[in-house]
Amino acid sequence: RDGCRVPLPWTVSGPSYGFGSGPAHLPQPAWFSAYSVEAEQADPDSTLHLYRNALRLRAMLSTDESLTWVAGAGPRVLHFSRPASWSSVTNLGPDPVAVTGTVVLASGPLADGMLASDTTVWLVETAN
């Protein structure tokens, strides 16, 4: 095996990081503890919280499965809108891009309304 598929780390300590009572069948690196469920539960900016928030919002914002691609956001920006007046914008380019609307989920921080490189936001339309 290549070492990429190892048991999920649940705790910040222990021989298998909480996956079982003994050591894991594959070696787990020491840095795994920082990405355990226990560690991420304590960090409101963690990937665990991002996904939990995304699942909660998805349930609230879902209507049907249609989407509309939005043109004009930039050559390396992926932008689509969904029913219920919300959209997803991902900046795949190197430069920040402006976004409008109320951010309800973000994979990283925004600065002055600008979406950084390699960042995604979910937006709801702002009432005028």
Side-chain angles (χ1 to χ4, degrees), residues 8-110:
L8 180 67
W10 289 96
T11 62
V12 295
S13 62
S16 65
Y17 297 107
F19 189 76
S21 59
H25 64 285
L26 292 173
Q28 293 184 330
W31 58 264
F32 260 32
S33 67
Y35 296 97
S36 68
V37 172
E38 182 181 25
E40 292 214 351
Q41 281 183 167
D43 178 4
D45 295 324
S46 70
T47 302
L48 177 65
H49 281 281
L50 174 70
Y51 276 85
R52 283 182 173 168
N53 287 333
L55 289 170
R56 179 183 52 79
L57 286 166
R58 183 176 158 214
M60 290 173 36
L61 297 171
S62 285
T63 54
D64 61 44
E65 296 299 316
S66 66
L67 64 85
T68 303
W69 295 105
V70 179
R76 299 189 71 186
V77 176
L78 179 67
H79 184 179
F80 61 86
S81 64
R82 301 286 310 267
S85 299
W86 73 278
S87 61
S88 175
V89 183
T90 302
N91 181 6
L92 302 168
D95 301 317
V97 296
V99 292
T100 57
T102 301
V103 175
V104 294
L105 184 76
S107 67
L110 276 73

